[in-house]
Amino acid sequence: MASSVGPRAGRIDVLGVGVDPITVDELHAEIARLVRGGRLGLVLNVNAHCLNLCYEDRALRDSLNGADVVFCDGAGVMLAARMLGGRIPARITYAAWIWRLAGFAAAEGFSFYFLGAPPGVAQEAARRLRERYPGLRIVGIRHGYFDHSAGSTENEAVLEEINATAPDILLVGLGMPLQERWLTQNRYRLDARVALTGGAVFDYVSRRVRRGPRILTESGFEWLARLLHEPRRLWRRYLLGNPLFLLRVLRQLLWRTTGRGPVKGLPQDRR
């Protein structure tokens, strides 16, 4: 059995996944470094839902730990880091950050390729971003409704289209965990400098999905706003997933403080 990839030094270990304690400015600097580095770098993000998935899926956990940057996109992850003795300085959520990222890319002259969302959504997102940043270079746009399996005709066509444009930044919004698996599977066939997973980023920018009230989004309860907006789809993720995440973090903390070895249920192959 293949060994698992453990968290990298300097990262905060939350349920076996290393999270970089990074600010937006530091994240921009890392993206610029990767764009100029000559190989495809992966910049992934985690929230409580993602870490719950990683807890059960070693391959997904390995994908996160093998990325160049893993930043925090959830108040629950910030809380977990504090409980475990670390500190994450910022929660970087795409719904807000994408505008700063677009401004940064426009100033640096970096090009984008948008991949994901239903037909027309990423195009509308691109239009809105260009309204604010007329110099923003978006060299390609493709919806996410295609056969993602390796070797499929549609997947090969998408790879060819991306590679023909050779973007500096490939922004993939296929949803979690499909986007992480797709990038891991195709990492060495993509002609791009850096790839980011963006989840519902195009939905937010296009206003297909609206953020909740500021009192919720700025106080760590954005999950509640999303739940109220899509209760039938998200109730299990939040009402069951959030308490389960907290329980798992408490188990990890108990393991660390008692020194008795692995607690039942915690990934044991992460080192």
Side-chain angles (χ1 to χ4, degrees):
M1 182 181 296
S3 61
S4 183
V5 179
R8 190 175 305 168
R11 290 178 171 174
I12 300 171
D13 179 350
V14 182
L15 301 187
V17 174
V19 185
D20 289 296
I22 198 168
T23 65
V24 169
D25 288 340
E26 290 168 342
L27 180 53
H28 287 173
E30 283 297 300
I31 290 172
R33 179 184 65 81
L34 291 169
V35 167
R36 300 181 177 112
R39 65 173 182 84
L40 178 66
L42 292 186
V43 176
L44 309 182
N45 59 302
V46 293
N47 53 31
H49 174 60
C50 176
L51 293 179
N52 272 337
L53 293 175
C54 289
Y55 191 91
E56 305 290 349
D57 186 336
R58 189 179 71 178
L60 181 59
R61 193 162 71 242
D62 288 351
S63 295
L64 268 293
N65 285 329
D68 295 273
V69 179
V70 178
F71 66 88
C72 170
D73 180 21
V77 179
M78 295 186 72
L79 174 61
R82 287 199 301 271
M83 292 170 60
L84 295 166
R87 178 181 176 274
I88 294 175
R91 168 178 170 258
I92 304 172
T93 179
Y94 269 99
W97 175 51
I98 182 59
W99 300 96
R100 292 183 63 180
L101 175 62
F104 166 75
E108 294 287 335
F110 295 155
S111 62
F112 273 107
Y113 188 105
F114 288 172
L115 176 65
V121 174
Q123 283 86 347
E124 176 62 15
R127 186 189 69 79
R128 290 182 178 277
L129 289 168
R130 284 178 174 138
E131 277 186 351
R132 184 175 298 186
Y133 303 106
L136 183 64
R137 295 172 58 212
I138 301 175
V139 295
I141 302 171
R142 177 65 161 77
H143 66 75
Y145 285 67
F146 62 94
D147 184 351
H148 307 96
S149 56
S152 72
T153 300
E154 290 182 344
N155 196 68
E156 291 298 311
V158 169
L159 292 175
E160 289 179 10
E161 186 176 318
I162 294 170
N163 292 345
T165 64
D168 294 314
I169 302 172
L170 169 62
L171 181 55
V172 180
L174 297 177
M176 191 178 292
L178 174 59
Q179 58 195 9
E180 289 81 9
R181 290 172 177 159
W182 187 85
L183 277 174
T184 299
Q185 186 176 67
N186 296 286
R187 180 173 188 173
Y188 299 105
R189 301 189 60 204
L190 284 165
D191 184 8
R193 301 280 71 80
V194 59
L196 287 74
T197 51
V201 58
F202 305 127
D203 294 308
Y204 282 115
V205 177
S206 67
R207 296 185 181 174
R208 180 172 179 261
V209 173
R210 293 184 179 272
R211 297 188 78 186
R214 183 172 294 182
I215 191 172
L216 294 179
T217 61
E218 294 185 355
S219 60
F221 288 93
E222 184 148 9
W223 65 268
L224 180 56
R226 293 195 64 191
L227 176 62
L228 293 173
H229 186 263
E230 298 182 90
R232 293 183 64 182
R233 186 174 74 88
L234 298 176
W235 73 269
R236 187 181 300 273
R237 176 187 300 188
Y238 295 126
L239 297 185
L240 300 183
N242 285 358
L244 182 60
F245 173 73
L246 179 59
L247 175 62
R248 287 168 168 170
V249 171
L250 289 171
R251 284 178 173 174
Q252 182 179 353
L253 180 61
L254 179 63
W255 176 7
R256 286 188 175 185
T257 55
T258 62
R260 294 180 180 177
V263 174
K264 183 178 179 181
L266 191 67
Q268 298 179 33
D269 55 353
R270 72 184 193 280
R271 295 194 178 192

